[in-house]
Amino acid sequence: MMTISYEYEGALYVNLTNRCDCNCVFCLRHNGHKGSIYADDLWLEHEPSREEALADLLARDFSQYRELVFCGFGEPMYRTDDLLWLVDQLKERVPNLPPVRINTNGHANLFLGRDVTPELKGRIDTISISLNGSTPEEYCAVTQPREGTKAWDAMLDFARKCRDYVPHVVMTIVDKDKTPEEIARCRAITEELGVTLRIRAYIPD
Ligand code: SF4
């Protein structure tokens, strides 16, 4: 069975793609395509069309969810156009749609070749960007981005630009394997960018 959306901790999560320009050492995609605790199998046999995803989402009772989250078993912003189309459709059709969040690696402007942040305005309430490291070297060792340290710069620039268009810009790190010095450096980065740092607990597979 193909899972386009699934419930987790009171939120509805949407999975539109398996594609990603990173190869994070902790990525669930390494785990035999199994989606771990989140769903039975999040590996998409094919990418759902926007219409297919809309039909899946319209079958849900949104009054049950505190948030709608685009994340996935890949990088959701590979499908920025479809994602924003879905948000527009849902806002039109679903009264009291819960706040919308994107969980992203922050590389969209790099891999799409344009600045997409203005398009998030009025559509996305929270953008959560994986910071994953306190230096470009540390970041690249963990996430192994296709474009190397360019991806680190692109991610920080993306976060800075999002501030103008998205009410809540959050950057996340996982506490495991981070020294107090690394956490302090991450805090300094997010303070300089004017965004919120969220330190997440590590969730084992
Ligand atoms: S950015 Fe996300 S989907 Fe991409 S490799 Fe890293 S953990 Fe996996």
Side-chain angles (χ1 to χ4, degrees):
M1 206 198 86
M2 187 163 99
T3 306
I4 298 174
S5 64
Y6 57 97
E7 299 171 4
Y8 181 67
E9 291 189 338
L12 186 68
Y13 284 76
V14 189
N15 179 27
L16 295 176
T17 187
N18 299 324
R19 282 181 282 165
C20 193
D21 64 319
C22 286
N23 189 15
C24 296
V25 292
F26 53 78
C27 184
L28 296 173
R29 302 188 307 168
H30 296 308
N31 187 19
H33 295 179
K34 280 279 176 275
S36 165
I37 58 173
Y38 298 104
D40 295 341
D41 191 354
L42 288 179
W43 189 260
L44 297 164
E45 297 144 19
H46 68 273
E47 289 197 350
S49 67
R50 45 167 72 175
E51 290 78 13
E52 217 177 332
L54 182 62
D56 178 280
L57 293 174
L58 287 175
R60 298 279 185 173
D61 171 8
F62 277 96
S63 66
Q64 289 187 51
Y65 307 120
R66 57 179 171 79
E67 204 173 22
L68 172 64
V69 185
F70 289 90
C71 62
F73 215 36
E75 167 47 49
M77 294 199 76
Y78 268 94
R79 299 199 59 189
T80 297
D81 292 346
D82 293 329
L83 189 162
L84 296 177
W85 179 85
L86 282 167
V87 172
D88 288 346
Q89 292 292 319
L90 291 170
K91 279 186 187 287
E92 241 177 75
R93 296 169 194 224
V94 179
N96 305 317
L97 188 74
V100 183
R101 166 161 54 111
I102 304 177
N103 289 351
T104 179
N105 64 17
H107 299 170
N109 291 352
L110 184 64
F111 59 67
L112 296 176
R114 70 175 204 275
D115 177 14
V116 297
T117 57
E119 299 167 42
L120 307 180
K121 191 177 180 182
R123 291 166 160 150
I124 305 303
D125 300 279
T126 302
I127 191 134
S128 179
I129 304 164
S130 307
L131 178 56
N132 277 328
S134 65
T135 64
E137 295 72 28
E138 211 184 293
Y139 180 75
C140 289
V142 170
T143 65
Q144 310 186 82
R146 203 177 294 154
E147 304 233 29
T149 53
K150 260 176 88 175
W152 163 263
D153 295 332
M155 182 261 306
L156 296 179
D157 183 59
F158 180 81
R160 194 177 295 115
K161 289 191 163 80
C162 278
R163 260 186 352 194
D164 293 336
Y165 306 108
V166 180
H168 307 287
V169 182
V170 179
M171 297 186 96
T172 64
I173 53 172
V174 176
D175 58 3
K176 185 179 164 278
D177 298 335
K178 285 266 176 296
T179 64
E181 292 72 26
E182 286 164 354
I183 292 176
R185 275 202 301 270
C186 289
R187 197 171 292 288
I189 290 168
T190 52
E191 277 172 5
E192 195 260 313
L193 289 169
V195 306
T196 305
L197 176 67
R198 195 162 77 86
I199 303 172
R200 295 186 294 129
Y202 176 69
I203 304 167
D205 286 0

